[in-house]
Amino acid sequence: MANLSSSEPSTDAVMPAGGRVIAHLDMDAFYASVELLDRPDLVDKPVIVGGRGEPNSRGVVTTCNYKAREFGVRSGMPMRKAAELCPAAVYLPVNFDRYRHYSRLFKAAIAGICDRIEDRGIDEVYIDLTAISNGNFEEAQTIAIQIKQAVFDATQLTCSVGLAPNKLIAKIASDLDKPNGLSLVKHEDIETMLWPLPVKKVNGIGPKACDKLALINIWSIGELAATPVQVLIERFGSNYGRWLNNAAWGRDQREIEIYSDPKSVSKETTFERDLHPRADWHALAEIVADLCEQLAAHLSRRTLLTRTIGVKLRYDNFASLTRDVALREPCNDLISIRKAAFECLAKANPHRKIRLVGVKASGLEFDRVHGRGSLHLRAAENEIDDEAQAAQVKLF
DNA sequence: TCTGGGGTCCTAGGACCC
DNA sequence: TCTGGGGTCCTAGGACCC
């Protein structure tokens, strides 16, 4: 769901010259491109990254290169389906530590030019170019070209950039010309460039909202813009209805968020075969205990304390269920976490075969006694790989 | 042939307190 | 005996994103 609170009816539809200039930068087929860096022999072949790197493993496609996309393969698709569409593809397992490494490299390259960066995950960022470009789009285009070059010099990887007056439009813009593109969408271009696009191009309109919009014959962003806001409020509720209307008109006042505190951390795993809650209790309990260990280690490494522990189960029919408990006091020790997790498991009382189990810590706060005492963790620092983290912990 | 793992935010009911 | 709003916390579920 989109962040509704931060996009109230806005005034930036009438933003004068010298308004904001926001860039959205998206790495092209990031995981697949990283893999190709040391497998140049695969450049012209369809490459699919996902799961354990086997076409028949339980899992989904994490990324595929553009060659594989020609066969209809998409990220999020079950590996087995991808194997059907493109049997000749080369399958590779995901290697997150390597992607995190390249993620740090490309973000550092951008930061060398402009440090007003919002981290949006491993392969994309927003950059506020307003100050550095004096609010001038032509100037911003020159800077964007420099940024793309700096990213390439640092990683040998290409990216696509969208330039726009706000994050919502910039995000759509970066997708207009992929790979290795640079697109500019100004306010006056909304009607010609955005309105013809399907509503799903808007970040925050997902499959469910798409289906509901289709029911009232709304397919394009332009059709959404033409729909009275009252109709949207009736169908989608006050918040989301208003947000949909603003989005269709390209209105979005959200600021770039340079710092963010972590809200939750979780560890989950899908089994190779489904487990029965009673017949396979021993195996299940072992897996939960192991996830608790990983979670506790993760929290300690980052000097985080948790106030709530939760367990998630996914049944063989894909229905899922969560249970959580508040802890008496914030902590990150394994004993308390494990005790709470098993309490949740007992509350859940699973009644059919299970395909996934997860343990989650939420209500996080920094450990002021053992930690750095800072409430603000630079978002980029979240992407430290395990060895680097272990090394850091030793310093304390 | 089913459908990963890691997140964020929103909604909503009930408890509890003032 | 009946009964106000408001605020916050806890819990469960769901949509959406990378």
Side-chain angles (χ1 to χ4, degrees):
Chain A
M1 189 64 66
N3 183 349
L4 305 173
S5 58
S6 48
S7 52
E8 289 299 304
S10 77
T11 53
D12 71 359
V14 289
M15 184 71 77
R20 294 195 294 158
V21 180
I22 306 295
H24 179 257
L25 182 151
D26 196 10
M27 298 299 288
D28 299 321
F30 186 56
Y31 299 172
S33 304
V34 171
E35 297 294 344
L36 289 178
L37 285 176
D38 48 17
R39 292 293 303 275
D41 53 308
L42 300 179
V43 166
D44 294 321
K45 296 181 177 156
V47 174
I48 295 173
V49 180
R52 293 165 179 82
E54 299 151 22
N56 279 317
S57 64
R58 211 169 211 190
V60 299
V61 174
T62 305
T63 337
C64 53
N65 67 354
Y66 290 90
K67 201 81 194 164
R69 291 180 197 187
E70 286 171 20
F71 291 84
V73 179
R74 294 288 179 271
S75 58
M77 179 180 279
M79 289 289 270
R80 277 167 224 219
K81 187 166 181 196
E84 264 178 44
L85 290 171
C86 191
V90 176
Y91 291 85
L92 299 172
V94 288
N95 184 350
F96 273 104
D97 283 347
R98 238 172 106 64
Y99 312 145
R100 272 192 286 266
H101 171 71
Y102 279 92
S103 184
R104 283 197 298 279
L105 289 181
F106 94 78
K107 287 167 190 170
I110 298 168
I113 293 171
C114 177
D115 62 359
R116 302 268 308 150
I117 301 173
E118 175 176 334
D119 212 306
R120 293 303 302 182
I122 200 157
D123 70 339
E124 60 183 73
V125 295
Y126 289 104
I127 315 162
D128 188 347
L129 297 178
T130 307
I132 193 178
S133 70
N134 296 309
N136 179 302
F137 275 103
E138 284 63 45
E139 181 70 31
Q141 260 178 314
T142 307
I143 297 164
I145 291 167
Q146 288 169 13
I147 289 175
K148 278 165 65 75
Q149 187 62 48
V151 166
F152 186 82
D153 291 344
T155 62
Q156 303 297 297
L157 298 170
T158 62
C159 59
S160 298
V161 176
L163 286 174
N166 62 45
K167 294 204 283 188
L168 185 107
I169 305 176
K171 169 80 178 167
I172 299 174
S174 69
D175 194 47
L176 289 176
D177 180 23
K178 268 187 155 294
N180 201 13
L182 172 56
S183 303
L184 174 61
V185 178
K186 299 184 186 182
H187 261 301
E188 53 265 38
D189 303 323
I190 288 172
E191 191 171 336
T192 54
M193 297 181 76
L194 262 44
W195 283 4
L197 301 174
V199 287
K200 69 162 186 286
K201 291 285 180 185
V202 176
N203 196 247
I205 303 182
K208 301 285 176 181
C210 260
D211 289 351
K212 271 177 88 173
L213 287 168
L215 286 178
I216 50 175
N217 237 338
I218 296 172
W219 308 91
S220 70
I221 300 174
E223 285 163 347
L224 184 60
T227 307
V229 66
Q230 262 316 315
V231 174
L232 298 173
I233 289 172
E234 279 161 28
R235 303 255 167 183
F236 294 92
S238 168
N239 269 359
Y240 195 57
R242 275 179 229 280
W243 180 85
L244 283 171
N245 177 257
N246 281 323
W249 286 87
R251 295 191 286 251
D252 173 24
Q253 293 202 325
R254 290 171 302 164
E255 290 291 332
I256 298 286
E257 287 184 24
I258 294 167
Y259 298 102
S260 72
D261 293 326
K263 308 289 186 294
S264 69
V265 171
S266 64
K267 301 288 170 190
E268 63 182 57
T269 183
T270 297
F271 318 134
E272 274 305 319
R273 64 169 187 92
D274 296 343
L275 296 182
H276 191 280
R278 281 184 297 280
D280 299 313
W281 167 249
H282 209 75
L284 182 62
E286 235 170 74
I287 291 166
V288 169
D290 183 56
L291 292 171
C292 288
E293 255 178 72
Q294 294 175 38
L295 194 61
H298 187 120
L299 291 171
S300 317
R301 246 187 265 125
R302 296 203 161 94
T303 60
L304 287 168
L305 303 176
T306 170
R307 308 174 66 92
T308 305
I309 290 294
V311 159
K312 172 166 98 177
L313 299 175
R314 180 125 72 206
Y315 290 121
D316 55 357
N317 65 354
F318 223 68
S320 55
L321 162 161
T322 61
R323 290 292 178 268
D324 52 60
V325 293
L327 303 172
R328 269 216 300 285
E329 55 189 29
C331 72
N332 61 15
D333 69 281
L334 176 59
I335 305 292
S336 311
I337 289 172
R338 200 163 50 198
K339 182 166 167 282
F342 277 89
E343 208 177 299
C344 291
L345 206 52
K347 271 208 293 183
N349 189 24
H351 60 276
R352 58 186 295 163
K353 282 193 158 188
I354 298 164
R355 79 193 322 272
L356 166 149
V357 65
V359 183
K360 169 168 152 175
S362 54
L364 302 184
E365 55 187 66
F366 282 100
D367 183 347
R368 290 162 181 283
V369 178
H370 301 99
R372 285 166 287 188
S374 164
L375 269 179
H376 292 295
L377 184 67
R378 181 122 202 208
E381 284 178 28
N382 278 323
E383 278 161 20
I384 301 171
D385 57 32
D386 286 343
E387 288 131 66
Q389 282 168 2
Q392 249 195 1
V393 168
K394 283 180 196 151
L395 297 176
F396 288 104

